[in-house]
Amino acid sequence: MPLTAEHAADLGAYAGRVFDHHRARPYFVRLPVREGLRGGDRVADEDERAGHYGEKTAAFARAQRDGVLTDEAAAGQPVHAVIALTASWSVLPQLTRMRVPALVGAGPDAQREALVSLVRRLAARPPGGDAGGPAAGTAAAPDRLPLTHDEQQRPEHRSER
């Protein structure tokens, strides 16, 4: 499923389209899962596929530079998260039943809407975020998300004041 900078501007809607694609063609998500479980250093057509995912990451990065999406994480992280969140509905149905049974009972339309809403919240720029650089409170490394509250409480992360 192509991801352009315009699609990235509403990453939730993009996630909804990927969800629909996976529901209609579940083998597209199950094959890479099996491939990962099989292990190995390389997979079929890896360079071509990496280029495809690189295009998605570049589109997300353009939307970040345009100030449309959060820049609190390197572009590859949210793109990977959308792929993982979307795939999880079809490859981890047992976790869905255990963690969100109401959504299972409500059906695929409710599951899709929950996914779209969640991804929109994850990708949104925080209020008052600076479009020219990292948002306040982000870690210095571009591939590291800010520490969670629990991480901040651990002795190795807590600074003595």
Side-chain angles (χ1 to χ4, degrees), residues 1-9 11 14 17-18 21-22 48-64 69 74-80 82-83:
M1 184 92 347
L3 175 63
T4 65
E6 293 76 30
H7 292 143
L11 201 60
Y14 174 77
R17 288 190 301 278
V18 174
H21 185 75
H22 288 169
E48 180 181 332
R49 291 161 63 190
H52 174 72
Y53 289 119
E55 291 171 8
K56 292 176 187 299
T57 301
F60 192 92
R62 281 191 299 279
Q64 286 178 311
L69 297 174
Q77 290 177 336
V79 172
H80 179 77
V82 167
I83 292 167

Coordinates of all heavy atoms in Angstrom, one line a residue, residues 1-9 11 14 17-18 21-22 48-64 69 74-80 82-83:
M1 N 0.8 -1.2 0.0 CA 0.0 0.0 0.0 C 0.9 1.2 0.0 O 1.7 1.4 0.9 CB -0.8 -0.1 1.3 CG -1.9 0.8 1.6 SD -3.6 0.8 1.2 CE -4.0 -0.4 0.0
P2 N 0.9 2.0 -1.0 CA 1.7 3.2 -1.1 C 1.4 4.2 0.0 O 0.3 4.4 0.4 CB 1.4 3.8 -2.5 CG 0.6 2.8 -3.2 CD 0.1 1.9 -2.2
L3 N 2.4 4.9 0.5 CA 2.3 6.0 1.4 C 3.0 7.2 0.9 O 4.2 7.2 0.7 CB 2.9 5.6 2.8 CG 2.9 6.7 3.9 CD1 1.5 7.1 4.2 CD2 3.6 6.2 5.1
T4 N 2.2 8.2 0.6 CA 2.8 9.5 0.1 C 2.7 10.5 1.3 O 2.1 10.2 2.3 CB 1.9 10.1 -1.1 OG1 0.6 10.4 -0.5 CG2 1.8 9.1 -2.2
A5 N 3.4 11.6 1.1 CA 3.4 12.7 2.1 C 1.9 13.1 2.4 O 1.5 13.4 3.5 CB 4.2 13.8 1.7
E6 N 1.1 13.1 1.3 CA -0.3 13.5 1.5 C -1.1 12.5 2.3 O -1.9 12.8 3.2 CB -1.0 13.7 0.1 CG -0.5 14.9 -0.7 CD 0.9 14.6 -1.4 OE1 1.2 13.4 -1.7 OE2 1.7 15.6 -1.5
H7 N -0.8 11.2 2.0 CA -1.4 10.1 2.8 C -0.9 10.2 4.3 O -1.7 10.0 5.2 CB -1.0 8.7 2.3 CG -1.6 8.4 1.0 ND1 -0.9 7.6 0.1 CD2 -2.8 8.6 0.4 CE1 -1.6 7.4 -1.0 NE2 -2.8 8.0 -0.8
A8 N 0.4 10.5 4.4 CA 0.9 10.6 5.8 C 0.3 11.7 6.6 O 0.2 11.6 7.8 CB 2.4 10.8 5.7
A9 N -0.2 12.7 6.0 CA -0.8 13.8 6.7 C -2.0 13.3 7.5 O -2.4 13.9 8.5 CB -1.3 14.9 5.7
L11 N -2.4 9.9 8.8 CA -1.8 8.6 9.0 C -2.9 7.6 9.5 O -2.8 6.4 9.2 CB -0.6 8.6 9.9 CG 0.3 7.4 9.8 CD1 0.9 7.3 8.4 CD2 1.4 7.5 10.8
Y14 N -4.7 6.3 6.5 CA -3.8 5.4 5.8 C -3.9 4.0 6.5 O -4.0 3.0 5.9 CB -2.4 5.9 5.8 CG -1.4 4.9 5.2 CD1 -1.3 4.7 3.8 CD2 -0.6 4.2 6.0 CE1 -0.4 3.7 3.3 CE2 0.3 3.2 5.5 CZ 0.4 3.0 4.2 OH 1.3 2.1 3.7
R17 N -6.9 2.1 5.6 CA -6.8 1.5 4.3 C -5.9 0.2 4.3 O -6.3 -0.8 3.7 CB -6.2 2.5 3.2 CG -7.2 3.6 2.9 CD -6.8 4.4 1.7 NE -5.5 5.1 1.8 CZ -5.3 6.2 2.5 NH1 -6.4 6.8 3.0 NH2 -4.1 6.8 2.5
V18 N -4.9 0.3 5.1 CA -4.0 -0.9 5.2 C -4.8 -2.0 6.0 O -4.8 -3.2 5.6 CB -2.7 -0.6 6.0 CG1 -1.9 -1.9 6.3 CG2 -1.9 0.4 5.2
H21 N -7.0 -3.6 3.5 CA -6.2 -4.4 2.6 C -5.9 -5.7 3.2 O -6.0 -6.8 2.6 CB -5.0 -3.6 2.2 CG -4.1 -4.3 1.2 ND1 -4.4 -4.3 -0.2 CD2 -3.0 -5.0 1.3 CE1 -3.5 -5.0 -0.8 NE2 -2.6 -5.4 0.0
H22 N -5.5 -5.7 4.5 CA -5.2 -6.9 5.2 C -6.4 -7.8 5.4 O -6.3 -9.1 5.3 CB -4.6 -6.7 6.5 CG -3.2 -6.1 6.4 ND1 -2.5 -5.6 7.5 CD2 -2.3 -6.0 5.4 CE1 -1.3 -5.2 7.1 NE2 -1.2 -5.5 5.8
E48 N 14.7 -4.8 -2.7 CA 13.5 -4.1 -3.3 C 12.5 -3.8 -2.3 O 11.9 -2.7 -2.3 CB 12.9 -5.0 -4.4 CG 11.7 -4.4 -5.1 CD 11.1 -5.4 -6.1 OE1 11.8 -6.2 -6.6 OE2 9.9 -5.3 -6.3
R49 N 12.2 -4.7 -1.4 CA 11.2 -4.4 -0.3 C 11.7 -3.3 0.6 O 10.9 -2.5 1.1 CB 10.9 -5.7 0.4 CG 10.2 -6.7 -0.5 CD 10.2 -8.1 0.0 NE 9.6 -8.4 1.3 CZ 9.7 -9.5 2.0 NH1 10.4 -10.5 1.5 NH2 9.1 -9.6 3.1
A50 N 13.0 -3.3 1.0 CA 13.5 -2.3 1.8 C 13.4 -0.9 1.2 O 13.1 0.1 1.8 CB 15.0 -2.6 2.1
G51 N 13.6 -0.9 -0.2 CA 13.3 0.4 -0.9 C 11.9 0.8 -0.8 O 11.6 2.0 -0.6
H52 N 11.0 -0.1 -0.9 CA 9.5 0.2 -0.8 C 9.2 0.8 0.6 O 8.5 1.8 0.7 CB 8.7 -1.1 -1.0 CG 7.3 -1.0 -0.8 ND1 6.4 -0.3 -1.6 CD2 6.5 -1.5 0.2 CE1 5.2 -0.4 -1.2 NE2 5.2 -1.1 0.0
Y53 N 9.8 0.2 1.7 CA 9.5 0.7 3.0 C 10.3 2.0 3.2 O 9.8 2.9 3.9 CB 10.0 -0.3 4.1 CG 9.0 -1.5 4.1 CD1 9.4 -2.8 3.9 CD2 7.7 -1.3 4.4 CE1 8.6 -3.9 3.9 CE2 6.8 -2.4 4.5 CZ 7.2 -3.6 4.2 OH 6.4 -4.7 4.2
G54 N 11.4 2.2 2.6 CA 12.2 3.4 2.6 C 11.4 4.6 2.0 O 11.4 5.7 2.5
E55 N 10.6 4.3 1.0 CA 9.7 5.3 0.4 C 8.7 5.8 1.4 O 8.3 6.9 1.5 CB 9.1 4.8 -0.9 CG 10.1 4.6 -2.0 CD 9.5 3.9 -3.2 OE1 8.3 3.6 -3.3 OE2 10.3 3.5 -4.1
K56 N 8.1 4.8 2.1 CA 7.1 5.1 3.1 C 7.7 6.0 4.2 O 7.1 7.0 4.6 CB 6.5 3.9 3.8 CG 5.7 3.0 2.8 CD 5.3 1.7 3.6 CE 4.6 0.7 2.7 NZ 3.3 1.2 2.1
T57 N 8.9 5.6 4.6 CA 9.6 6.4 5.7 C 9.9 7.8 5.2 O 9.7 8.8 5.9 CB 10.8 5.7 6.2 OG1 10.5 4.4 6.7 CG2 11.6 6.5 7.2
A58 N 10.3 7.9 4.0 CA 10.6 9.3 3.4 C 9.4 10.1 3.3 O 9.4 11.3 3.6 CB 11.2 9.1 2.0
A59 N 8.2 9.5 3.0 CA 7.0 10.3 2.9 C 6.6 10.8 4.3 O 6.1 11.9 4.5 CB 5.9 9.4 2.3
F60 N 6.7 9.9 5.3 CA 6.4 10.3 6.7 C 7.4 11.5 7.1 O 7.0 12.5 7.7 CB 6.6 9.2 7.6 CG 6.0 9.4 9.0 CD1 4.7 9.1 9.3 CD2 6.8 10.0 10.0 CE1 4.1 9.4 10.5 CE2 6.3 10.3 11.2 CZ 4.9 10.0 11.5
A61 N 8.7 11.3 6.7 CA 9.6 12.4 7.1 C 9.3 13.7 6.4 O 9.4 14.8 7.1 CB 11.0 11.9 6.7
R62 N 8.8 13.7 5.2 CA 8.4 14.9 4.5 C 7.2 15.6 5.3 O 7.2 16.8 5.5 CB 8.0 14.7 3.1 CG 9.1 14.5 2.1 CD 8.7 14.5 0.7 NE 7.9 13.4 0.3 CZ 8.3 12.2 0.0 NH1 9.5 11.9 0.1 NH2 7.4 11.3 -0.4
A63 N 6.3 14.7 5.7 CA 5.1 15.3 6.5 C 5.6 15.8 7.8 O 5.1 16.8 8.3 CB 4.1 14.2 6.7
Q64 N 6.6 15.2 8.4 CA 7.2 15.8 9.7 C 7.8 17.1 9.4 O 7.6 18.1 10.1 CB 8.3 14.8 10.2 CG 7.7 13.6 10.9 CD 8.8 12.7 11.4 OE1 9.8 12.3 10.6 NE2 8.7 12.2 12.6
L69 N 3.0 16.3 11.0 CA 3.0 15.1 11.9 C 4.1 15.3 13.0 O 5.0 16.1 12.8 CB 3.4 13.8 11.2 CG 2.3 13.4 10.1 CD1 2.8 12.2 9.3 CD2 1.0 13.1 10.8
A74 N 12.0 9.3 15.1 CA 12.5 9.2 13.8 C 11.4 8.6 12.9 O 10.6 7.8 13.3 CB 13.7 8.3 13.8
A75 N 11.3 9.1 11.7 CA 10.2 8.7 10.8 C 10.0 7.2 10.6 O 8.8 6.8 10.5 CB 10.4 9.3 9.4
G76 N 11.0 6.4 10.7 CA 10.9 5.0 10.6 C 10.1 4.3 11.7 O 9.4 3.3 11.5
Q77 N 10.2 4.9 12.9 CA 9.4 4.3 14.0 C 7.9 4.4 13.9 O 7.3 3.4 14.0 CB 9.9 5.0 15.3 CG 11.3 4.7 15.7 CD 11.7 5.4 17.0 OE1 11.2 6.5 17.3 NE2 12.7 4.9 17.6
P78 N 7.3 5.5 13.6 CA 5.9 5.5 13.4 C 5.4 4.7 12.2 O 4.4 4.1 12.3 CB 5.5 7.0 13.3 CG 6.7 7.8 13.4 CD 7.9 6.9 13.6
V79 N 6.2 4.7 11.2 CA 5.8 3.9 10.0 C 5.8 2.4 10.4 O 4.9 1.7 10.1 CB 6.8 4.1 8.8 CG1 6.5 3.1 7.7 CG2 6.6 5.6 8.3
H80 N 6.8 2.0 11.1 CA 6.9 0.6 11.6 C 5.7 0.3 12.6 O 5.1 -0.7 12.5 CB 8.2 0.3 12.3 CG 8.3 -1.1 12.9 ND1 8.6 -2.1 12.1 CD2 8.2 -1.5 14.1 CE1 8.6 -3.2 12.8 NE2 8.3 -2.9 14.1
V82 N 2.7 1.7 12.6 CA 1.5 1.5 11.9 C 1.4 0.2 11.2 O 0.4 -0.5 11.3 CB 1.4 2.7 10.8 CG1 0.2 2.4 9.8 CG2 1.1 4.0 11.5
I83 N 2.5 -0.3 10.7 CA 2.5 -1.6 10.1 C 2.2 -2.7 11.1 O 1.4 -3.6 10.9 CB 3.9 -1.9 9.3 CG1 4.0 -1.0 8.1 CG2 4.0 -3.4 8.9 CD1 5.4 -0.9 7.5

